[in-house]
Amino acid sequence: MGRVNPDQPETGGPPVGRRVLLGTLGVGALGVLAAPTLQRGLESFLGAAADRDPTGLTGLLPNGGGFRYYSVASSVPRRDDTSYRLTVDGLVDRPARLTLADLRALPQTRLVRDVQCVTGWRVPGTPFEGVRLSRLLDAAGVRPAARAVRFTCFDGTYSESLTLDQARRADVLVALRMRDEDLGHAHGGPVRLYVAPMYFYKSAKWLSGITLTDEVRPGYWEERGYDVDAWVGRSNGRDDAPTS
């Protein structure tokens, strides 16, 4: 039996033709070009399925963007430019009821941070854009007795809270866009809260109400055992790397 020289390539296999090689490269390039469209289609499908899934099991399914879909309501109504309203009330001097046009007319802030879910998944470098919550609070005229902010959602079920100091941070947004697109329904659109340095359950989807209160009132998941102060890596018994 002859000795095999490891420095020379094997010659027994069939040659790869030029057409086959170019065809393979073409398919690969097509896949790269089609990937964003396919990802959006998958996200749309999973979002629609989650919206009709009272069990929440669709939230266990990943998609190309790395997000999971969670809703604590059996179904969530849709809001658009005509029907959406955001109420700012409670311990303020100037209560407001804002439309999408009102929010879009205000100065917008863009943040790019990792998104960290308390269940363990993470989506790096996710852009969010919207109005700083502090701007809305200043416009409403926060009264001296206010110590916290309570957030309610048009799913009719979810709620969240922040201390007033937390709410005034520069990295807390009333977000209108995510990943450089208008917020879709499945991601909490048309408007959601985005609290960059905290676990993602603090970033309430389908935001409809901002109420100034005299104390922190635990949100939906906090009433079920999650930490009220949800700093990434410093709460909920987790040691994840900070997101900002």
Side-chain angles (χ1 to χ4, degrees), residues 91 144-151 160-164 211-219 228:
L91 297 174
R147 296 290 181 271
V149 186
R150 179 172 174 79
F151 306 94
E160 256 308 333
S161 290
L162 294 171
T163 68
L164 188 55
T211 301
L212 277 294
T213 61
D214 59 358
E215 62 180 359
V216 170
R217 301 177 187 177
V228 173

Side-chain angles (χ1 to χ4, degrees), residues 64-83:
F67 285 87
R68 306 294 191 272
Y69 294 100
Y70 299 113
S71 173
V72 297
S74 59
S75 65
V76 182
R78 293 177 180 267
R79 297 285 185 266
D80 57 20
D81 291 50
T82 302
S83 58

Side-chain angles (χ1 to χ4, degrees), residues 186-203:
H187 284 298
V191 179
R192 73 177 298 160
L193 186 66
Y194 177 53
V195 186
M198 293 190 177
Y199 285 105
F200 209 36
Y201 66 86
K202 300 297 287 192
S203 297

Side-chain angles (χ1 to χ4, degrees), residues 117-129:
C117 181
V118 74
T119 59
W121 56 265
R122 189 180 187 105
V123 182
T126 303
F128 280 86
E129 187 173 350

Side-chain angles (χ1 to χ4, degrees), residues 3-203:
R3 181 173 179 271
V4 176
N5 185 345
D7 296 326
Q8 293 185 2
E10 296 184 21
T11 58
V16 178
R18 182 171 179 270
R19 290 182 179 178
V20 174
L21 177 59
L22 291 177
T24 301
L25 293 175
V27 170
L30 181 62
V32 171
L33 292 173
T37 300
L38 292 173
Q39 177 178 320
R40 286 193 294 270
L42 179 58
E43 290 181 357
S44 177
F45 169 77
L46 289 176
D51 194 33
R52 295 169 174 81
D53 175 21
T55 69
L57 293 177
T58 48
L60 301 177
L61 298 175
N63 65 74
F67 285 87
R68 306 294 191 272
Y69 294 100
Y70 299 113
S71 173
V72 297
S74 59
S75 65
V76 182
R78 293 177 180 267
R79 297 285 185 266
D80 57 20
D81 291 50
T82 302
S83 58
Y84 181 79
R85 297 292 185 274
L86 175 62
T87 300
V88 183
D89 59 13
L91 297 174
V92 297
D93 294 327
R94 296 176 292 277
R97 197 162 183 256
L98 305 169
T99 65
L100 275 177
D102 293 332
L103 292 171
R104 289 169 180 158
L106 295 171
Q108 305 290 302
T109 297
R110 187 175 187 269
L111 300 175
V112 181
R113 301 284 191 274
D114 294 353
V115 168
Q116 178 69 55
C117 181
V118 74
T119 59
W121 56 265
R122 189 180 187 105
V123 182
T126 303
F128 280 86
E129 187 173 350
V131 181
R132 281 183 173 148
L133 177 58
S134 60
R135 180 178 294 274
L136 297 183
L137 299 181
D138 289 343
V142 177
R143 293 178 181 172
R147 296 290 181 271
V149 186
R150 179 172 174 79
F151 306 94
T152 50
C153 307
F154 62 78
D155 68 349
T157 304
Y158 203 77
S159 62
E160 256 308 333
S161 290
L162 294 171
T163 68
L164 188 55
D165 286 343
Q166 292 167 353
R168 287 192 176 281
R169 287 177 58 104
D171 52 6
V172 177
L173 302 181
V174 172
L176 309 176
R177 293 172 60 83
M178 186 182 86
R179 296 188 292 183
D180 299 316
E181 296 180 344
D182 289 346
L183 269 169
H185 178 75
H187 284 298
V191 179
R192 73 177 298 160
L193 186 66
Y194 177 53
V195 186
M198 293 190 177
Y199 285 105
F200 209 36
Y201 66 86
K202 300 297 287 192
S203 297

